[in-house]
Amino acid sequence: MNQKLKTSLAFAKNLLVTGAISETSRQVEIDICKHVSKEDHKVIVEFGMGHGNITQEILNTISPTSKLYAFEVKESFCDHVRKHIIDDRLVIVNDGAQNLKKHIKENVNTVISSIPFSFFSKEKGLAIIQDAYDLLENNAYYSQVLYTKFNFKKFQQIFEACEMTSNKNFITEYIYHCRKVRN
């Protein structure tokens, strides 16, 4: 069975955990990573690593001295990425985004996320966004891909600058780019 079909089946079987029925499109992989820093010694966080397609794009973007902490709740997805992406800059965290501060104690330059906010309570979603905001450096970005526009207001409650884009080929993929403007 080809990898795309396996991935779609894995996502479908775990819809309430993954929030997706397939991997994000290549266009989204590129767009969601457009604010990832290429500067040295940066810390990047990814929420919802899945099978690692966005993870690989982040690693292709960051410098050799930067580090990527990739959070994923499904252990089988973590195992898949460990097997297919070998990179010393990648730290796989088999835990949820709500435990960010338990694992990261340093300033973060960028957060890239594909977690399913639609399946979280409003309180849990806002707490995840706030924790990420608290760790972000000034002028750093939190970028989120979702299938709806409805969660954009949550991000606007916390971030000073937010924009939303959509993939013209996949009208249900929206990317929020939110920037922390103050410390």
Side-chain angles (χ1 to χ4, degrees):
M1 187 181 319
N2 78 25
Q3 187 56 44
K4 271 210 176 292
L5 182 56
K6 284 182 187 176
T7 299
S8 292
L9 289 173
F11 280 118
K13 283 183 358 190
N14 298 288
L15 182 60
L16 294 178
V17 175
T18 64
I21 55 171
S22 67
E23 293 178 348
T24 53
S25 67
R26 179 69 183 135
Q27 184 177 342
V28 166
E29 292 169 20
I30 294 166
D31 190 17
I32 200 167
C33 292
K34 74 181 183 183
H35 296 294
V36 172
S37 178
K38 294 173 177 66
E39 294 177 22
D40 289 335
H41 306 290
K42 295 297 180 181
V43 173
I44 313 302
V45 171
E46 179 185 18
F47 294 149
M49 175 180 66
H51 280 136
N53 57 328
I54 293 174
T55 308
Q56 187 62 65
E57 185 65 27
I58 296 168
L59 291 167
N60 291 345
T61 304
I62 64 175
S63 78
T65 60
S66 291
K67 186 154 300 284
L68 169 59
Y69 292 91
F71 284 71
E72 176 54 58
V73 295
K74 289 242 347 113
E75 191 167 344
S76 63
F77 289 174
C78 293
D79 292 342
H80 174 85
V81 172
R82 279 188 198 98
K83 185 193 270 187
H84 291 92
I85 301 177
I86 310 301
D87 192 312
D88 292 339
R89 300 170 299 166
L90 176 61
V91 177
I92 296 173
V93 182
N94 185 200
D95 203 352
Q98 70 274 14
N99 295 315
L100 171 68
K101 289 184 172 179
K102 176 180 162 186
H103 298 281
I104 309 293
K105 305 294 184 205
E106 53 202 313
N107 287 335
V108 172
N109 180 263
T110 309
V111 175
I112 301 293
S113 177
S114 58
I115 58 175
F117 276 95
S118 299
F119 298 145
F120 298 161
S121 69
K122 180 179 180 181
E123 295 76 23
K124 180 178 179 179
L126 285 171
I128 289 169
I129 299 166
Q130 185 65 59
D131 284 351
Y133 179 93
D134 292 346
L135 290 180
L136 277 173
E137 298 171 349
N138 195 34
N139 285 316
Y141 279 86
Y142 181 123
S143 296
Q144 171 76 46
V145 62
L146 284 168
Y147 292 119
T148 70
K149 299 178 186 181
F150 303 118
N151 287 287
F152 193 57
K153 290 179 181 171
K154 290 177 187 167
F155 290 85
Q156 290 175 311
Q157 288 178 34
I158 295 172
F159 284 90
E160 297 83 15
C162 295
E163 69 175 22
M164 179 175 27
T165 61
S166 65
N167 180 339
K168 291 171 182 56
N169 296 327
F170 296 95
I171 213 142
T172 60
E173 289 180 325
Y174 298 94
I175 300 175
Y176 310 163
H177 293 290
C178 302
R179 186 168 53 95
K180 179 177 180 176
V181 177
R182 63 174 184 241
N183 284 325

